[in-house]
Amino acid sequence: MVDSRTIFDLIRHGEPEGGPMYRGSKDDPLSGAGWQQMRDAVTEADRWDAIVTSPMLRCVHFAQELADRYGIPLHSDERLREINFGDWEGRTADEVMASDGERLSRFWADPVACTPPGGEPAAQFNTRVTEAWRHWQETLAGQNLLIVCHGGVIRMIIADVMNIPLTHAFSGLVTPYACRSRIQVDTSAHGRFQSLVAHGALKALKP
């Protein structure tokens, strides 16, 4: 195994058009405010060798803008899509609580056992995200990378890094619009070591 250090910056998309709602597979673009949130989260001091993005409009449009600005490769990965909330898609939390409150409460209490009606099972979501996470660690090892994705995806990646059980991975971590996280991955003859360096509204962290 070749020794390497890979730095991943994760950034959640900004506010989408339509405002807050269960928007896992609903493919809304960024609002004007969302574009500003994303641009404010990046500074000229940032340096990346490549960008990996969810293909959803609220991620890929900004990722393309950055890739063009820096003249770096852009990779789109279907596995980095947000979890699908099924029948709750396009509805606000208050609307779901009013019509399906008991099931919603069970989902947040135990997302592994209680899938939203017509939605994607949490274990299936976690599997596809962690497969993508492992893939890019290996494919782009030794580089400084940006991943543009979703709150749920960031939670799955950080849960993997921190060895957080899936039953607790959906809670306990605030991921507001355009928040940034940094993860360091070191590989050597001794194995692979992942570290959460920082999480929050971070700007221009130096590797």
Side-chain angles (χ1 to χ4, degrees):
M1 181 180 291
V2 178
D3 290 2
S4 68
R5 170 167 291 176
T6 310
I7 301 296
F8 289 91
D9 286 335
L10 314 178
I11 185 168
R12 186 190 176 196
H13 61 79
E15 176 192 79
E17 290 183 359
M21 66 177 68
Y22 284 99
R23 186 189 281 102
S25 62
K26 192 173 184 294
D27 205 10
D28 295 322
L30 291 171
S31 67
W35 274 104
Q36 192 62 52
Q37 289 165 345
M38 297 295 278
R39 290 166 176 157
D40 287 347
V42 175
T43 77
E44 292 304 318
D46 282 308
R47 294 291 181 269
W48 297 293
D49 299 305
I51 299 173
V52 179
T53 184
S54 160
M56 305 198 80
L57 297 180
R58 55 192 184 271
C59 297
V60 71
H61 285 172
F62 178 73
Q64 185 67 65
E65 178 182 88
L66 275 188
D68 291 344
R69 181 196 305 175
Y70 292 111
I72 57 177
L74 176 64
H75 307 277
S76 179
D77 192 329
E78 289 280 342
R79 295 170 296 185
L80 295 176
R81 286 175 173 269
E82 183 60 285
I83 191 170
N84 188 324
F85 288 103
D87 294 350
W88 299 345
E89 291 280 335
R91 302 169 65 191
T92 67
D94 287 344
E95 288 170 343
V96 176
M97 181 59 72
S99 64
D100 205 6
E102 183 178 346
R103 194 192 299 257
L104 179 62
S105 296
R106 292 202 307 269
F107 169 73
W108 288 115
D110 189 353
V112 178
C114 303
T115 302
E120 180 178 14
Q124 180 177 309
F125 173 57
N126 179 68
T127 296
R128 67 172 167 87
V129 171
T130 53
E131 284 178 352
W133 175 233
R134 294 281 190 273
H135 171 81
W136 295 111
Q137 286 183 32
E138 296 171 3
T139 303
L140 301 178
Q143 300 187 43
N144 294 333
L145 307 167
L146 176 68
I147 298 181
V148 184
C149 58
H150 309 270
V153 173
I154 291 171
R155 289 185 178 98
M156 295 302 101
I157 291 173
I158 291 180
D160 182 73
V161 171
M162 303 293 290
N163 293 311
I164 298 170
L166 183 56
T167 51
H168 297 97
F170 284 86
S171 60
L173 183 71
V174 177
T175 55
Y177 290 139
C179 80
R180 286 177 57 172
S181 310
R182 172 160 289 176
I183 294 169
Q184 178 177 305
V185 181
D186 293 299
T187 59
S188 70
H190 303 290
R192 178 181 287 114
F193 299 92
Q194 305 180 106
S195 304
L196 179 63
V197 177
H199 173 76
L202 311 174
K203 285 189 176 183
L205 292 170
K206 295 181 179 180

